[in-house]
Amino acid sequence: MSGCPYFEKRHLLFKNKPPKTEDDEDASQAGVNKASKGGIIYGDYLQLDKIVSAQVLQSELKGNKIHDEHLFIVTHQAYELWFKQILFELDSVREIFISGHVRDERNMLKVNTRIHRIVMIFRLLVDQFAVLETMTALDFFDFREYLSPASGFQSLQFRLLENRIGVPDNLRVPYNRRHYRDNFKGHDSEMLLATEQEPTLLKLVEEWLERTPGLEADGFNFWERLEINIFDGLNQEKEKIEKMSDSEDKEELMAELVKQKELFTSLFDEKRHDHLLSKGERRLSYKALQGALMIYFYREEPRFQVPFQLLTSLMDIDTLMTKWRYNHVCMVHRMIGSKAGTGGSSGYHYLRSTVSDRYKVFVDLFNLATFLVPRNWVPKLNPNVHTFLYMAECCDSSYCSSEDSD
């Protein structure tokens, strides 16, 4: 009877393997238990006594313990802990920008790392809904009455997070026809007001983009060169279309060309940009938009690779926050249907209204793809002349971004 050759060879390997000695067996136990000598231990370091005893079931206090309330509490506590970490990372990034240390481009790696960490946390938060959704609508109904008037809208950390990233106050959806801050009192309300007056991540990124090397009118002058190249390219396209014989295809191509010309005329019209800015349809200043587009077009150049990664991560944050809101909407709809929320809002209908571009902070970065043009229309760079692409700004005295740097 023939057996599997692979298995037979594998069997021989095990068969011919020398037996373990007593020394080999003891190697796994060769460590030293340092905790037995005193000092801080795991539970004390993490203060687990506070964390694992913080799940107080309201249903149990009312004499009707509901099993799934424990899951509901733990999940929301986990969200709040991750919000705390996001705020911690976000504040450190904002400090690097505010202090001016971002001018030393070596600090951009630190900025990118922490922003990417925020992205990864948000990915986790989006997926965390799957755990909560193991609870059925009836399971939630069993203890929902004990929650009122508590509501997720009352999450102070999430509102602080929105403000620090840069959700515009004037674009927020009113909560029961009232300003969102009216639902917070005392110190919480003061904290929210303070964050509305602090530089947001959006504002700080805007100022950084305005300093993009290559925008200088007396230097490479990217914006003027791009405008010339694009309209030269459009005119060449027009000439090609005009040489075509009359047909529906020719009419369609010409109509599309007219649209493209209107689009780029709008792009290079600063007054038009300012008008869209006042309406909330654009968020970045005219010069910051130029910087973002320059980074987008020259993302393969050494100096712009890290900035491009940062812009990509900022879009990831917006995308994931939108997904988080959407998952929240779907879960609420599934759990309570069209009922009012425990805090008094319209519930599903209110939450659905927040899943829109008005809550996207870096919407201008998404719209950069609108202005893509053929690569040969992008102004050419000469490495021998345009050395700014290879010579980053460094300043040893500011390399350490803050006292908490490591």
Side-chain angles (χ1 to χ4, degrees):
M1 179 177 173
S2 61
C4 172
Y6 173 75
F7 177 79
E8 287 177 357
K9 288 179 182 177
R10 196 166 165 226
H11 178 69
L12 288 172
L13 285 173
F14 282 106
K15 186 175 181 181
N16 297 330
K17 194 172 182 180
K20 287 185 178 181
T21 64
E22 189 175 330
D23 290 340
D24 291 333
E25 292 290 348
D26 291 339
S28 65
Q29 304 298 315
V32 177
N33 185 7
K34 293 182 179 181
S36 63
K37 299 179 180 180
I40 194 166
I41 60 172
Y42 181 80
D44 294 338
Y45 176 71
L46 297 177
Q47 298 193 48
L48 292 180
D49 56 333
K50 296 178 182 178
I51 295 174
V52 300
S53 62
Q55 296 74 44
V56 180
L57 279 62
Q58 292 300 306
S59 60
E60 186 174 14
L61 293 179
K62 301 296 193 301
N64 182 31
K65 183 178 179 180
I66 305 298
H67 178 87
D68 279 17
E69 187 182 359
H70 191 277
L71 172 67
F72 187 82
I73 293 173
V74 168
T75 304
H76 284 78
Q77 288 176 336
Y79 272 125
E80 291 295 333
L81 281 172
W82 283 123
F83 290 160
K84 182 178 177 64
Q85 185 63 36
I86 291 172
L87 285 168
F88 184 76
E89 302 295 346
L90 186 56
D91 284 345
S92 72
V93 169
R94 288 171 59 248
E95 177 56 31
I96 294 173
F97 278 102
I98 291 170
S99 64
H101 291 130
V102 74
R103 288 179 179 272
D104 189 317
E105 295 181 29
R106 289 172 295 181
N107 279 316
M108 287 308 299
L109 179 61
K110 187 178 294 184
V111 169
N112 258 9
T113 299
R114 293 177 183 178
I115 290 293
H116 179 66
R117 184 177 295 164
I118 292 172
V119 169
M120 298 310 293
I121 293 172
F122 266 120
R123 290 192 193 283
L124 182 65
L125 297 186
V126 168
D127 291 341
Q128 193 168 292
F129 278 102
V131 179
L132 201 54
E133 286 172 349
T134 61
M135 178 174 60
T136 68
L138 186 57
D139 294 331
F140 182 52
F141 180 82
D142 288 341
F143 66 88
R144 184 172 182 257
E145 63 178 302
Y146 302 117
L147 306 181
S148 184
S151 165
F153 184 86
Q154 298 157 6
S155 170
L156 174 64
Q157 290 195 118
F158 191 73
R159 302 304 156 204
L160 291 172
L161 175 58
E162 290 178 325
N163 286 352
R164 284 179 176 150
I165 289 177
V167 172
D169 183 54
N170 62 320
L171 293 182
R172 283 182 177 275
V173 177
Y175 187 80
N176 292 347
R177 298 186 177 86
R178 298 176 65 189
H179 192 275
Y180 85 100
R181 209 181 331 109
D182 291 344
N183 293 275
F184 296 87
K185 305 297 180 185
H187 182 61
D188 290 354
S189 180
E190 291 173 4
M191 286 181 67
L192 288 168
L193 180 60
T195 56
E196 290 174 17
Q197 297 167 347
E198 295 170 357
T200 64
L201 181 62
L202 173 64
K203 182 64 178 175
L204 295 167
V205 168
E206 177 186 73
E207 293 172 353
W208 168 71
L209 286 171
E210 289 174 346
R211 299 194 301 270
T212 302
L215 294 180
E216 305 87 355
D218 59 348
F220 180 60
N221 201 0
F222 162 74
W223 201 241
E224 184 176 307
R225 288 169 180 253
L226 181 66
E227 182 178 8
I228 292 169
N229 284 13
I230 286 178
F231 284 104
D232 282 349
L234 290 172
N235 288 334
Q236 291 172 17
E237 289 296 313
K238 183 180 180 182
E239 290 174 5
K240 289 180 184 177
I241 295 171
E242 286 175 342
K243 291 177 182 179
M244 294 172 62
S245 56
D246 292 341
S247 64
E248 286 186 12
D249 286 346
K250 181 179 180 179
E251 290 179 8
E252 289 176 3
L253 289 171
M254 190 60 75
E256 181 60 31
L257 186 67
V258 170
K259 289 180 182 177
Q260 287 293 305
K261 195 164 187 178
E262 289 174 352
L263 171 69
F264 286 107
T265 299
S266 170
L267 174 64
F268 293 105
D269 184 345
E270 187 171 359
K271 290 183 178 178
R272 171 68 174 163
H273 177 91
D274 291 341
H275 174 66
L276 293 173
L277 201 62
S278 67
K279 292 172 61 180
E281 293 181 24
R282 285 189 184 165
R283 309 287 171 80
L284 294 172
S285 69
Y286 189 56
K287 192 168 185 180
L289 184 67
Q290 296 174 26
L293 200 56
M294 185 171 185
I295 292 170
Y296 203 87
F297 279 131
Y298 298 111
R299 60 191 178 277
E300 295 170 356
E301 299 295 341
R303 195 172 183 184
F304 289 153
Q305 289 175 7
V306 172
F308 179 72
Q309 290 170 4
L310 175 59
L311 298 187
T312 301
S313 291
L314 293 174
M315 286 190 285
D316 287 341
I317 289 175
D318 256 342
T319 298
L320 290 164
M321 286 190 76
T322 301
K323 286 182 178 180
W324 189 90
R325 293 180 197 278
Y326 180 73
N327 282 7
H328 189 202
V329 169
C330 291
M331 187 192 68
V332 167
H333 199 195
R334 173 177 170 175
M335 293 294 180
I336 67 171
S338 297
K339 291 178 184 176
T342 50
S345 75
S346 57
Y348 163 72
H349 297 289
Y350 166 75
L351 292 172
R352 188 178 61 180
S353 68
T354 67
V355 185
S356 68
D357 281 356
R358 64 197 298 165
Y359 278 86
K360 267 187 184 175
V361 176
F362 299 99
V363 65
D364 289 348
L365 301 182
F366 288 85
N367 288 332
L368 291 179
T370 309
F371 309 113
L372 288 177
V373 295
R375 286 180 184 265
N376 62 319
W377 291 13
V378 178
K380 295 292 184 292
L381 291 162
N382 184 339
N384 297 320
V385 177
H386 307 120
T387 56
F388 66 85
L389 286 173
Y390 307 96
M391 296 174 62
E393 186 177 355
C394 297
C395 178
D396 288 339
S397 62
S398 66
Y399 183 52
C400 292
S401 61
S402 58
E403 292 181 0
D404 68 340
S405 297
D406 45 43

